[in-house]
Amino acid sequence: WKEDEGEIRFAINRIMKVKYYTTVSEELKYDSLDTSEVLAKINDDELKPMDYSLEILDIDSDSYVFTVVPLEKHHEVAALFFKLK
């Protein structure tokens, strides 16, 4: 299963805009990677340098449930998502 990188960027930017955060580039950079790798690359290479973190809630599904938080809240949100798993 592979989600289109453009759709991933669109979903992340929709969250970013609602929270009044700076958005990530719409340029496709990782189209040859699978979905989890694209999410990791955007998080590590684009969000974290802007002091944001992508947090993913594992619901044992083909869907990804995620949000973007300030990097300083990463551990708190990750711990909450782990409890919910």
Side-chain angles (χ1 to χ4, degrees):
W1 175 72
K2 183 176 182 326
E3 188 67 41
D4 178 69
E5 181 185 354
E7 291 295 320
I8 293 169
R9 289 182 176 281
F10 175 79
I12 290 171
N13 279 333
R14 200 164 70 183
I15 292 168
M16 302 288 278
K17 288 176 185 176
V18 167
K19 294 184 171 197
Y20 300 103
Y21 296 166
T22 304
T23 57
V24 296
S25 169
E26 294 181 11
E27 176 187 352
L28 303 182
K29 301 177 183 180
Y30 317 114
D31 203 41
S32 64
L33 302 177
D34 71 28
T35 302
S36 61
E37 293 171 317
V38 171
L39 289 168
K41 291 293 281 180
I42 291 172
N43 189 45
D44 293 340
D45 298 349
E46 299 179 46
L47 290 171
K48 286 186 177 176
M50 295 190 307
D51 290 325
Y52 299 118
S53 180
L54 183 68
E55 300 301 326
I56 300 172
L57 177 59
D58 183 357
I59 59 170
D60 292 324
S61 170
D62 286 344
S63 299
Y64 285 85
V65 177
F66 59 85
T67 192
V68 177
V69 298
L71 194 54
E72 65 192 35
K73 299 277 188 186
H74 160 70
H75 294 293
E76 179 183 338
V77 175
L80 174 63
F81 280 12
F82 182 76
K83 285 181 184 178
L84 294 174
K85 183 178 174 180

